[in-house]
PDB file of all heavy atoms in Angstrom:
ATOM      1  N   GLN A  77      91.572 106.250  86.997  1.00 93.00           N
ATOM      2  CA  GLN A  77      91.083 104.875  86.833  1.00 93.00           C
ATOM      3  C   GLN A  77      90.507 104.673  85.424  1.00 93.00           C
ATOM      4  O   GLN A  77      90.757 103.657  84.791  1.00 93.00           O
ATOM      5  CB  GLN A  77      90.022 104.561  87.886  1.00 93.00           C
ATOM      6  CG  GLN A  77      89.574 103.119  87.857  1.00 93.00           C
ATOM      7  CD  GLN A  77      88.704 102.755  89.046  1.00 93.00           C
ATOM      8  OE1 GLN A  77      88.554 103.540  89.993  1.00 93.00           O
ATOM      9  NE2 GLN A  77      88.153 101.573  89.021  1.00 93.00           N
ATOM     10  N   GLU A  78      89.796 105.669  84.941  1.00 94.00           N
ATOM     11  CA  GLU A  78      89.231 105.588  83.586  1.00 94.00           C
ATOM     12  C   GLU A  78      90.344 105.511  82.548  1.00 94.00           C
ATOM     13  O   GLU A  78      90.271 104.735  81.598  1.00 94.00           O
ATOM     14  CB  GLU A  78      88.341 106.798  83.326  1.00 94.00           C
ATOM     15  CG  GLU A  78      87.650 106.768  81.987  1.00 94.00           C
ATOM     16  CD  GLU A  78      86.718 107.942  81.801  1.00 94.00           C
ATOM     17  OE1 GLU A  78      85.968 108.277  82.758  1.00 94.00           O
ATOM     18  OE2 GLU A  78      86.726 108.520  80.699  1.00 94.00           O
ATOM     19  N   ARG A  79      91.393 106.288  82.727  1.00 93.00           N
ATOM     20  CA  ARG A  79      92.509 106.297  81.773  1.00 93.00           C
ATOM     21  C   ARG A  79      93.218 104.941  81.771  1.00 93.00           C
ATOM     22  O   ARG A  79      93.564 104.413  80.702  1.00 93.00           O
ATOM     23  CB  ARG A  79      93.497 107.413  82.105  1.00 93.00           C
ATOM     24  CG  ARG A  79      94.655 107.509  81.146  1.00 93.00           C
ATOM     25  CD  ARG A  79      94.172 107.835  79.733  1.00 93.00           C
ATOM     26  NE  ARG A  79      95.307 107.865  78.842  1.00 93.00           N
ATOM     27  CZ  ARG A  79      95.306 107.368  77.623  1.00 93.00           C
ATOM     28  NH1 ARG A  79      94.224 106.805  77.122  1.00 93.00           N
ATOM     29  NH2 ARG A  79      96.369 107.415  76.870  1.00 93.00           N
ATOM     30  N   ILE A  80      93.449 104.371  82.931  1.00 93.00           N
ATOM     31  CA  ILE A  80      94.100 103.056  83.004  1.00 93.00           C
ATOM     32  C   ILE A  80      93.199 102.008  82.352  1.00 93.00           C
ATOM     33  O   ILE A  80      93.686 101.144  81.610  1.00 93.00           O
ATOM     34  CB  ILE A  80      94.460 102.706  84.461  1.00 93.00           C
ATOM     35  CG1 ILE A  80      95.611 103.613  84.929  1.00 93.00           C
ATOM     36  CG2 ILE A  80      94.852 101.239  84.571  1.00 93.00           C
ATOM     37  CD1 ILE A  80      95.947 103.489  86.391  1.00 93.00           C
ATOM     38  N   ALA A  81      91.899 102.089  82.589  1.00 93.00           N
ATOM     39  CA  ALA A  81      90.959 101.140  81.966  1.00 93.00           C
ATOM     40  C   ALA A  81      91.004 101.275  80.444  1.00 93.00           C
ATOM     41  O   ALA A  81      90.926 100.278  79.715  1.00 93.00           O
ATOM     42  CB  ALA A  81      89.550 101.363  82.496  1.00 93.00           C
ATOM     43  N   GLU A  82      91.126 102.503  79.941  1.00 93.00           N
ATOM     44  CA  GLU A  82      91.230 102.732  78.497  1.00 93.00           C
ATOM     45  C   GLU A  82      92.494 102.071  77.952  1.00 93.00           C
ATOM     46  O   GLU A  82      92.457 101.449  76.876  1.00 93.00           O
ATOM     47  CB  GLU A  82      91.252 104.230  78.179  1.00 93.00           C
ATOM     48  CG  GLU A  82      89.929 104.923  78.384  1.00 93.00           C
ATOM     49  CD  GLU A  82      90.045 106.436  78.251  1.00 93.00           C
ATOM     50  OE1 GLU A  82      91.169 106.965  78.030  1.00 93.00           O
ATOM     51  OE2 GLU A  82      89.015 107.104  78.426  1.00 93.00           O
ATOM     52  N   LEU A  83      93.598 102.223  78.655  1.00 92.00           N
ATOM     53  CA  LEU A  83      94.850 101.608  78.218  1.00 92.00           C
ATOM     54  C   LEU A  83      94.717 100.083  78.184  1.00 92.00           C
ATOM     55  O   LEU A  83      95.181  99.438  77.253  1.00 92.00           O
ATOM     56  CB  LEU A  83      96.003 102.025  79.142  1.00 92.00           C
ATOM     57  CG  LEU A  83      96.411 103.498  79.061  1.00 92.00           C
ATOM     58  CD1 LEU A  83      97.355 103.841  80.202  1.00 92.00           C
ATOM     59  CD2 LEU A  83      97.033 103.823  77.717  1.00 92.00           C
ATOM     60  N   GLN A  84      94.057  99.543  79.201  1.00 91.00           N
ATOM     61  CA  GLN A  84      93.844  98.101  79.245  1.00 91.00           C
ATOM     62  C   GLN A  84      92.953  97.656  78.089  1.00 91.00           C
ATOM     63  O   GLN A  84      93.196  96.625  77.464  1.00 91.00           O
ATOM     64  CB  GLN A  84      93.283  97.685  80.600  1.00 91.00           C
ATOM     65  CG  GLN A  84      94.319  97.809  81.702  1.00 91.00           C
ATOM     66  CD  GLN A  84      93.772  97.571  83.084  1.00 91.00           C
ATOM     67  OE1 GLN A  84      92.652  97.954  83.408  1.00 91.00           O
ATOM     68  NE2 GLN A  84      94.588  96.949  83.934  1.00 91.00           N
ATOM     69  N   ALA A  85      91.934  98.445  77.778  1.00 91.00           N
ATOM     70  CA  ALA A  85      91.050  98.127  76.659  1.00 91.00           C
ATOM     71  C   ALA A  85      91.790  98.188  75.328  1.00 91.00           C
ATOM     72  O   ALA A  85      91.432  97.492  74.366  1.00 91.00           O
ATOM     73  CB  ALA A  85      89.853  99.071  76.654  1.00 91.00           C
ATOM     74  N   MET A  86      92.850  99.006  75.259  1.00 91.00           N
ATOM     75  CA  MET A  86      93.671  99.115  74.050  1.00 91.00           C
ATOM     76  C   MET A  86      94.652  97.950  73.928  1.00 91.00           C
ATOM     77  O   MET A  86      95.368  97.847  72.942  1.00 91.00           O
ATOM     78  CB  MET A  86      94.428 100.443  74.048  1.00 91.00           C
ATOM     79  CG  MET A  86      93.521 101.653  73.915  1.00 91.00           C
ATOM     80  SD  MET A  86      94.350 103.242  74.231  1.00 91.00           S
ATOM     81  CE  MET A  86      95.726 103.174  73.108  1.00 91.00           C
ATOM     82  N   GLY A  87      94.706  97.096  74.955  1.00 91.00           N
ATOM     83  CA  GLY A  87      95.561  95.922  74.890  1.00 91.00           C
ATOM     84  C   GLY A  87      96.811  95.968  75.724  1.00 91.00           C
ATOM     85  O   GLY A  87      97.623  95.042  75.685  1.00 91.00           O
ATOM     86  N   TYR A  88      97.000  97.028  76.487  1.00 92.00           N
ATOM     87  CA  TYR A  88      98.160  97.095  77.356  1.00 92.00           C
ATOM     88  C   TYR A  88      97.894  96.209  78.578  1.00 92.00           C
ATOM     89  O   TYR A  88      96.995  96.474  79.366  1.00 92.00           O
ATOM     90  CB  TYR A  88      98.449  98.531  77.812  1.00 92.00           C
ATOM     91  CG  TYR A  88      98.880  99.417  76.675  1.00 92.00           C
ATOM     92  CD1 TYR A  88      98.016 100.339  76.125  1.00 92.00           C
ATOM     93  CD2 TYR A  88     100.157  99.301  76.143  1.00 92.00           C
ATOM     94  CE1 TYR A  88      98.406 101.145  75.063  1.00 92.00           C
ATOM     95  CE2 TYR A  88     100.573 100.101  75.086  1.00 92.00           C
ATOM     96  CZ  TYR A  88      99.686 101.032  74.556  1.00 92.00           C
ATOM     97  OH  TYR A  88     100.076 101.821  73.513  1.00 92.00           O
ATOM     98  N   ARG A  89      98.668  95.142  78.716  1.00 92.00           N
ATOM     99  CA  ARG A  89      98.459  94.187  79.799  1.00 92.00           C
ATOM    100  C   ARG A  89      99.291  94.506  81.026  1.00 92.00           C
ATOM    101  O   ARG A  89      98.864  94.283  82.145  1.00 92.00           O
ATOM    102  CB  ARG A  89      98.809  92.773  79.326  1.00 92.00           C
ATOM    103  CG  ARG A  89      97.874  92.271  78.285  1.00 92.00           C
ATOM    104  CD  ARG A  89      98.235  90.873  77.914  1.00 92.00           C
ATOM    105  NE  ARG A  89      97.386  90.406  76.838  1.00 92.00           N
ATOM    106  CZ  ARG A  89      97.522  89.259  76.259  1.00 92.00           C
ATOM    107  NH1 ARG A  89      98.456  88.422  76.656  1.00 92.00           N
ATOM    108  NH2 ARG A  89      96.716  88.913  75.297  1.00 92.00           N
ATOM    109  N   ASN A  90     100.511  94.964  80.815  1.00 95.00           N
ATOM    110  CA  ASN A  90     101.440  95.226  81.915  1.00 95.00           C
ATOM    111  C   ASN A  90     101.530  96.724  82.158  1.00 95.00           C
ATOM    112  O   ASN A  90     101.961  97.480  81.283  1.00 95.00           O
ATOM    113  CB  ASN A  90     102.815  94.648  81.597  1.00 95.00           C
ATOM    114  CG  ASN A  90     102.767  93.146  81.424  1.00 95.00           C
ATOM    115  OD1 ASN A  90     102.126  92.450  82.179  1.00 95.00           O
ATOM    116  ND2 ASN A  90     103.421  92.651  80.387  1.00 95.00           N
ATOM    117  N   ILE A  91     101.147  97.137  83.354  1.00 95.00           N
ATOM    118  CA  ILE A  91     101.121  98.559  83.679  1.00 95.00           C
ATOM    119  C   ILE A  91     102.020  98.823  84.867  1.00 95.00           C
ATOM    120  O   ILE A  91     101.923  98.171  85.909  1.00 95.00           O
ATOM    121  CB  ILE A  91      99.688  99.025  83.987  1.00 95.00           C
ATOM    122  CG1 ILE A  91      98.814  98.803  82.742  1.00 95.00           C
ATOM    123  CG2 ILE A  91      99.669 100.483  84.431  1.00 95.00           C
ATOM    124  CD1 ILE A  91      97.368  99.153  82.925  1.00 95.00           C
ATOM    125  N   ARG A  92     102.911  99.749  84.667  1.00 95.00           N
ATOM    126  CA  ARG A  92     103.825 100.188  85.726  1.00 95.00           C
ATOM    127  C   ARG A  92     103.304 101.555  86.193  1.00 95.00           C
ATOM    128  O   ARG A  92     103.284 102.491  85.411  1.00 95.00           O
ATOM    129  CB  ARG A  92     105.231 100.292  85.176  1.00 95.00           C
ATOM    130  CG  ARG A  92     106.278 100.658  86.191  1.00 95.00           C
ATOM    131  CD  ARG A  92     107.670 100.519  85.610  1.00 95.00           C
ATOM    132  NE  ARG A  92     107.943  99.098  85.384  1.00 95.00           N
ATOM    133  CZ  ARG A  92     108.650  98.639  84.337  1.00 95.00           C
ATOM    134  NH1 ARG A  92     109.129  99.455  83.442  1.00 95.00           N
ATOM    135  NH2 ARG A  92     108.851  97.333  84.214  1.00 95.00           N
ATOM    136  N   VAL A  93     102.863 101.628  87.439  1.00 96.00           N
ATOM    137  CA  VAL A  93     102.328 102.873  87.972  1.00 96.00           C
ATOM    138  C   VAL A  93     103.429 103.557  88.785  1.00 96.00           C
ATOM    139  O   VAL A  93     103.863 103.050  89.811  1.00 96.00           O
ATOM    140  CB  VAL A  93     101.083 102.624  88.853  1.00 96.00           C
ATOM    141  CG1 VAL A  93     100.519 103.948  89.346  1.00 96.00           C
ATOM    142  CG2 VAL A  93     100.018 101.854  88.069  1.00 96.00           C
ATOM    143  N   ASP A  94     103.868 104.702  88.284  1.00 96.00           N
ATOM    144  CA  ASP A  94     104.906 105.475  88.966  1.00 96.00           C
ATOM    145  C   ASP A  94     104.222 106.402  89.976  1.00 96.00           C
ATOM    146  O   ASP A  94     103.447 107.278  89.603  1.00 96.00           O
ATOM    147  CB  ASP A  94     105.700 106.288  87.941  1.00 96.00           C
ATOM    148  CG  ASP A  94     106.857 107.046  88.554  1.00 96.00           C
ATOM    149  OD1 ASP A  94     106.908 107.200  89.788  1.00 96.00           O
ATOM    150  OD2 ASP A  94     107.712 107.495  87.786  1.00 96.00           O
ATOM    151  N   LEU A  95     104.494 106.161  91.236  1.00 97.00           N
ATOM    152  CA  LEU A  95     103.870 106.910  92.322  1.00 97.00           C
ATOM    153  C   LEU A  95     104.802 107.949  92.939  1.00 97.00           C
ATOM    154  O   LEU A  95     104.451 108.573  93.953  1.00 97.00           O
ATOM    155  CB  LEU A  95     103.404 105.946  93.415  1.00 97.00           C
ATOM    156  CG  LEU A  95     102.370 104.895  92.996  1.00 97.00           C
ATOM    157  CD1 LEU A  95     102.181 103.877  94.115  1.00 97.00           C
ATOM    158  CD2 LEU A  95     101.055 105.562  92.638  1.00 97.00           C
ATOM    159  N   GLU A  96     105.959 108.153  92.356  1.00 96.00           N
ATOM    160  CA  GLU A  96     106.980 108.991  92.968  1.00 96.00           C
ATOM    161  C   GLU A  96     106.488 110.390  93.332  1.00 96.00           C
ATOM    162  O   GLU A  96     106.880 110.952  94.359  1.00 96.00           O
ATOM    163  CB  GLU A  96     108.191 109.108  92.040  1.00 96.00           C
ATOM    164  CG  GLU A  96     109.346 109.847  92.640  1.00 96.00           C
ATOM    165  CD  GLU A  96     110.618 109.775  91.809  1.00 96.00           C
ATOM    166  OE1 GLU A  96     110.530 109.405  90.612  1.00 96.00           O
ATOM    167  OE2 GLU A  96     111.684 110.062  92.353  1.00 96.00           O
ATOM    168  N   ARG A  97     105.610 110.951  92.521  1.00 97.00           N
ATOM    169  CA  ARG A  97     105.152 112.333  92.769  1.00 97.00           C
ATOM    170  C   ARG A  97     103.772 112.397  93.430  1.00 97.00           C
ATOM    171  O   ARG A  97     103.128 113.448  93.434  1.00 97.00           O
ATOM    172  CB  ARG A  97     105.148 113.103  91.460  1.00 97.00           C
ATOM    173  CG  ARG A  97     106.547 113.288  90.919  1.00 97.00           C
ATOM    174  CD  ARG A  97     106.560 114.101  89.681  1.00 97.00           C
ATOM    175  NE  ARG A  97     107.919 114.241  89.187  1.00 97.00           N
ATOM    176  CZ  ARG A  97     108.219 114.780  88.049  1.00 97.00           C
ATOM    177  NH1 ARG A  97     107.278 115.246  87.252  1.00 97.00           N
ATOM    178  NH2 ARG A  97     109.475 114.863  87.669  1.00 97.00           N
ATOM    179  N   VAL A  98     103.328 111.279  93.973  1.00 97.00           N
ATOM    180  CA  VAL A  98     102.036 111.265  94.660  1.00 97.00           C
ATOM    181  C   VAL A  98     102.238 111.804  96.077  1.00 97.00           C
ATOM    182  O   VAL A  98     103.066 111.302  96.820  1.00 97.00           O
ATOM    183  CB  VAL A  98     101.427 109.848  94.673  1.00 97.00           C
ATOM    184  CG1 VAL A  98     100.204 109.792  95.584  1.00 97.00           C
ATOM    185  CG2 VAL A  98     101.071 109.415  93.264  1.00 97.00           C
ATOM    186  N   GLU A  99     101.471 112.833  96.419  1.00 95.00           N
ATOM    187  CA  GLU A  99     101.572 113.439  97.733  1.00 95.00           C
ATOM    188  C   GLU A  99     100.580 112.851  98.722  1.00 95.00           C
ATOM    189  O   GLU A  99     100.797 112.878  99.938  1.00 95.00           O
ATOM    190  CB  GLU A  99     101.333 114.952  97.613  1.00 95.00           C
ATOM    191  CG  GLU A  99     102.363 115.634  96.741  1.00 95.00           C
ATOM    192  CD  GLU A  99     101.950 117.042  96.345  1.00 95.00           C
ATOM    193  OE1 GLU A  99     100.916 117.536  96.845  1.00 95.00           O
ATOM    194  OE2 GLU A  99     102.659 117.633  95.525  1.00 95.00           O
ATOM    195  N   PHE A 100      99.462 112.328  98.193  1.00 94.00           N
ATOM    196  CA  PHE A 100      98.402 111.820  99.062  1.00 94.00           C
ATOM    197  C   PHE A 100      97.626 110.763  98.298  1.00 94.00           C
ATOM    198  O   PHE A 100      97.371 110.912  97.104  1.00 94.00           O
ATOM    199  CB  PHE A 100      97.459 112.976  99.456  1.00 94.00           C
ATOM    200  CG  PHE A 100      96.275 112.554 100.252  1.00 94.00           C
ATOM    201  CD1 PHE A 100      96.378 112.276 101.603  1.00 94.00           C
ATOM    202  CD2 PHE A 100      95.038 112.421  99.644  1.00 94.00           C
ATOM    203  CE1 PHE A 100      95.269 111.885 102.332  1.00 94.00           C
ATOM    204  CE2 PHE A 100      93.927 112.038 100.369  1.00 94.00           C
ATOM    205  CZ  PHE A 100      94.040 111.771 101.716  1.00 94.00           C
ATOM    206  N   LEU A 101      97.255 109.713  98.996  1.00 94.00           N
ATOM    207  CA  LEU A 101      96.483 108.624  98.390  1.00 94.00           C
ATOM    208  C   LEU A 101      95.384 108.243  99.378  1.00 94.00           C
ATOM    209  O   LEU A 101      95.684 107.854 100.505  1.00 94.00           O
ATOM    210  CB  LEU A 101      97.402 107.429  98.120  1.00 94.00           C
ATOM    211  CG  LEU A 101      96.842 106.252  97.354  1.00 94.00           C
ATOM    212  CD1 LEU A 101      96.749 106.578  95.874  1.00 94.00           C
ATOM    213  CD2 LEU A 101      97.725 105.030  97.539  1.00 94.00           C
TER     214      LEU A 101
END
C-alpha cells in the first residue's frame, strides 16, 4: 500500500494491479 501511494504521489494516476501470482488476499 505504501509503494502504491508513493507511485501515486509521483504522479501515476492509472494503476494496473496484476494479481495473477497472488495466493491469498
Side-chain angles (χ1 to χ4, degrees):
Q77 186 170 352
E78 183 177 317
R79 182 63 182 139
I80 290 173
E82 288 171 359
L83 292 169
Q84 289 173 322
M86 294 169 54
Y88 293 104
R89 293 183 184 175
N90 298 316
I91 299 177
R92 183 171 292 144
V93 182
D94 184 345
L95 299 171
E96 185 171 16
R97 294 183 181 173
V98 171
E99 298 166 7
F100 175 78
L101 187 76

